[in-house]
Amino acid sequence: MCGIIGYVGDKEAVPILMDGLKRLEYRGYDSAGIVVIDACGEVRMMKREGKLKVLEDGLAEHGLRGTLGLGHTRWATHGSPSEVNAHPHFSSDGEIAVVHNGIIENFLELRAELEGKGHTFASETDTEVIVRLVEEALKGGAPDLEAAVRASLRKLKGQYAVGLLRRKEPDKIVAARLDSPLIVGLGDGENYIASDVPAILNRTRKVIYLENEEIAVVTADGCRVTDIEGNETVREVKEITWDIDAAEKGGYEKFMLKEIHEQPQAVSKTIMGRISTDGKEILMGDLNVTPEEIRGLRKIFIISCGTAFYASNIGRYLLEHYTNIAVEVDFSSEFRYRNPKLSKQTLVMTVTQSGETADTIASLRMAKEKGCKVISVVNVVGSTIDRESDGVIYTRAGPEIGVASTKAYTAQLAALFLFTLWVGRMRGEIDDGRFRELVDELQRIPAKVERVLEKERHIRSVAEKYYRATNAFFLGRGFNFPNAMEGALKLKEISYMHAEGYAAGEMKHGPIALIDEHFPVVCICTGANKYDKMLSNIKEVQARKGRIIAIATEGDDRVKDIADDVIYVPETVEPLSPLINVVPLQLFAYYIALERGCDIDKPRNLAKSVTVE
Ligand code: AGP
């Protein structure tokens, strides 16, 4: 996610802006920039690729002075990490500047419209269309920056938190938001905007949380908030009581818990802009694979590690369920040392959060050496795997700070589902009716994940019953077999409790020998198909005094008679159920680790990105 800070007052803006950006560094970024209106009333800016130190060194050489300014750290979503793509972005005359956090879904059509009016764009970003729309609105008669911003925001689809300044109105910052957080900080004779509390907590604890489609005009003397229609709204000033550490986690105790709760956003952002407005097609962007190649595919190989490997296995179930393509999944660390049978009709995919996992990079290079095209599902734009893949499907989970992957996993599942629909449609293997159903249900998933998160207190109470166990099983079938393995990985890596994910049907082939009354067994038994088989697996475990924790569909009365604990989740179609069913597994692991006093965000022996073999 990008970081925004703005200042207007009587002090030099640059030190305040840089300090604020440093306090937002934890959010992850790949470039940064600053813009001020200087004492001569000129708009002056500097932006640099890389860490804030690079920008700081640049500012030390060519200082910017002025008491009004905006700062930004960019987490690339549209356009690679680079100086030219860094914010702020400008009107064609350089007199208006914008910084932005979010995704403008319809930026390509807006860009084409603006190019038709003679605009040439400096960057690949979606953000640049915002400031050019504002410029056009002013040319079209908008009386001031505020009115021009209001007119422009109406044309945007997607999510935004924006801050703008204008040379001709040097005493104000105009800020606005839709589905991307933005606050106004109130000081004494000076005021701020920021995308998150930590940026300004050392300067003020008085903040206004802007609501969706509200516009704030911020001057040194105060702040006026209006709605998108222009009606003034009186907003409550909140007093922040958090300390900095809690503020960076948005008030959550750990980054992992914050990221578990960010999953509805991560999934909706990953879907955003990838379903055509008429709902009839999936927009995958340029994957550098032709429809003929997709139709000629005989095999897809998906390679990955850890949590991404379990997402990949669900991708295999999806692709084999909806298309006639054979799919094989392998650990990157195995694939690269095998002699896999690849051909021109084989598409290789990698799935990776960081895009820097050494074994996955090596496997990607081996596949390309063997003449295969490689498409990757990646969260970090500009990462090695992003740059070396033929095509990329970005998950838009934002930076994932907790070592244990959560929101990146559910975003990967959403991306793999979209890819499956795209391939199935292209190959004529998914009919219109089924396609419509699946697209509609996919768009309901964020709200259904939200509903599971509302059960957090119950899930915590279940976890607290089992935190002393030394072993656990996670059982699932079909799409939820890899999901069960992911649940086991979560528990292992943050609570250090031994856990295994297993195909439920395999229990009788040996593992059931381990079961006794000290052995919690998490059973994912949602969905109609294979339900009865799952119940009989549960009964097998129960007969041996195993403790059953069932993940079941709301309204399922049968399972509660045989399970010690039941966590109910909303119903969905089986292929999408892992996105919902994994949430209780994540929270179960989290609260067991909390009870066990583990270092949840930085588990022992683990790194966020395994860049070594
Ligand atoms: C997941 O919780 C782990 N932190 C780890 O298994 C991770 O998924 C694995 O290292 C792969 O990382 P990547 O997705 O960045 O390639």
Side-chain angles (χ1 to χ4, degrees), residues 201 204-209 236-242:
L201 203 53
T204 177
R205 288 185 173 271
K206 291 185 172 50
V207 301
I208 293 172
Y209 286 87
E236 183 194 355
V237 178
K238 302 254 190 207
E239 182 80 22
I240 300 295
T241 55
W242 298 332

Side-chain angles (χ1 to χ4, degrees), residues 59-79:
L59 289 166
E61 229 174 292
H62 315 284
L64 298 184
R65 298 180 65 80
T67 61
L68 180 146
L70 298 167
H72 187 268
T73 47
R74 179 176 183 245
W75 167 270
T77 51
H78 287 88

Side-chain angles (χ1 to χ4, degrees), residues 189-219:
E190 58 191 8
N191 294 305
Y192 312 82
I193 66 167
S195 37
D196 204 351
V197 165
I200 55 172
L201 203 53
N202 61 324
R203 299 187 178 278
T204 177
R205 288 185 173 271
K206 291 185 172 50
V207 301
I208 293 172
Y209 286 87
L210 288 185
E211 299 284 349
N212 275 347
E213 294 194 315
E214 284 185 338
I215 294 169
V217 178
V218 184
T219 61

Side-chain angles (χ1 to χ4, degrees), residues 90-96 118-120 131-132 135-136 139:
F90 295 89
S91 53
S92 48
D93 59 8
E95 297 217 346
I96 311 163
H119 286 265
T120 51
V131 68
R132 297 306 177 90
E135 177 181 3
E136 284 298 314
K139 274 188 201 156

Side-chain angles (χ1 to χ4, degrees), residues 92 110-121 132-133 135-137 139-140 155:
S92 48
L110 292 172
R111 187 175 173 127
E113 256 174 57
L114 289 160
E115 282 168 338
K117 291 178 180 171
H119 286 265
T120 51
F121 286 85
R132 297 306 177 90
L133 286 172
E135 177 181 3
E136 284 298 314
K139 274 188 201 156
K155 298 182 177 174

Side-chain angles (χ1 to χ4, degrees), residues 473-477 480 484 502 504 507 515 519-526 531 534-542 546-553 556 559 562-567 581 584-585 588:
F473 267 134
F474 289 72
L475 304 184
R477 284 178 170 267
N480 282 291
Y502 237 91
M507 282 299 282
I515 299 297
F519 211 117
V521 180
V522 180
C523 301
I524 306 174
C525 48
T526 59
Y531 177 76
M534 198 64 210
L535 284 199
S536 58
N537 293 141
I538 292 176
K539 285 174 185 161
E540 287 161 15
V541 171
Q542 195 196 34
R547 309 284 300 282
I548 306 287
I549 300 127
I551 312 296
T553 304
D556 173 357
V559 73
I562 55 175
D564 297 82
D565 295 279
V566 183
I567 298 167
N581 296 340
L585 308 187
F588 181 76

